Amino acid sequence: MNDYSADVRLAREGSTEAFSRLYETVYEGLYHIALYSLRNPHDAADTVSDTVLDAFCSIKKLRSPEKFRSWIMSILAAKIKRKQRSYFEPTDELNENTDLTESFSYESVELREAVNKLDTESRLLLSMSVLGGYSSDEISEVCGIKAGTVRSKLTRIKQKLRLELTPEL
């Protein structure tokens, strides 16, 4: 767990360098979660940009510096939900040519298809847990649901994926 106290204090005082250091610790996770929730690289990048701008403008409101990571994730989650509500047509799906990132890739086409079948909340919870490395308590705080509910939902999501991916005998 990072100690964000010094950089949050400096960022509150207006240091763009300190905010930049804070952003460097979370940018990859923010993008991964946005991408797998929205399934569109341009929308993911825009959503992360909006999140960072809001965070930069409201860093003074962050009361507990140690909660920087979950605080900025809360902003991202709200932006993702707003973006998802704005869709009038189905989004462009990821395909084999989509550059997700060098550090993460699906193991198989079947896994990608199974994840794409999940509802938006399930994709968000799974991406926060698997890609972002967030604990159920952190996800609970960000999404506004009980930690036990997060754990139950993640268990059901993973079970659903296992059933989807397990060949019938």
Side-chain angles (χ1 to χ4, degrees):
M1 191 76 132
N2 288 340
D3 181 15
Y4 302 107
S5 301
D7 281 335
V8 168
R9 184 181 50 75
L10 291 170
R12 282 179 178 160
E13 295 169 2
S15 170
T16 55
E17 293 84 10
F19 187 83
S20 180
R21 285 190 300 272
L22 290 167
Y23 175 64
E24 285 177 17
T25 67
V26 296
Y27 78 93
E28 190 173 313
L30 293 174
Y31 181 74
H32 281 145
I33 290 166
L35 179 60
Y36 289 101
S37 295
L38 299 172
R39 300 187 296 171
N40 180 300
H42 299 289
D43 287 348
D46 288 347
T47 301
V48 170
S49 293
D50 289 346
T51 298
V52 172
L53 180 60
D54 281 7
F56 180 75
C57 292
S58 61
I59 189 80
K60 292 179 182 179
K61 296 177 185 177
L62 178 58
R63 293 188 178 125
S64 303
E66 67 278 359
K67 295 195 177 202
F68 172 78
R69 187 172 176 239
S70 60
W71 173 75
I72 198 167
M73 181 52 63
S74 297
I75 296 170
L76 178 69
K79 298 277 184 199
I80 288 170
K81 287 177 185 176
R82 189 172 301 122
K83 187 66 172 177
Q84 288 169 332
R85 282 193 301 265
S86 76
Y87 289 157
F88 293 104
E89 300 175 358
T91 61
D92 293 335
E93 292 188 15
L94 298 176
N95 61 44
E96 287 83 35
N97 298 325
T98 302
D99 179 23
L100 300 175
T101 65
E102 292 179 14
S103 63
F104 182 84
S105 64
Y106 281 109
E107 292 293 319
S108 67
V109 172
E110 292 83 10
L111 178 58
R112 182 181 317 122
E113 290 171 354
V115 170
N116 283 338
K117 289 179 185 177
L118 296 173
D119 61 273
T120 56
E121 180 188 51
S122 295
R123 279 195 311 274
L124 177 63
L125 294 175
L126 187 65
S127 63
M128 287 178 73
S129 174
V130 175
L131 299 175
Y134 289 86
S135 70
S136 57
D137 290 332
E138 290 171 318
I139 296 170
S140 167
E141 188 175 317
V142 168
C143 295
I145 53 180
K146 294 180 181 178
T149 304
V150 170
R151 286 188 291 276
S152 297
K153 286 184 175 199
L154 284 170
T155 299
R156 284 194 299 275
I157 292 164
K158 290 173 185 176
Q159 184 176 30
K160 183 177 181 178
L161 288 174
R162 262 188 232 105
L163 290 172
E164 183 80 26
L165 297 170
T166 304
E168 294 182 28
L169 299 176

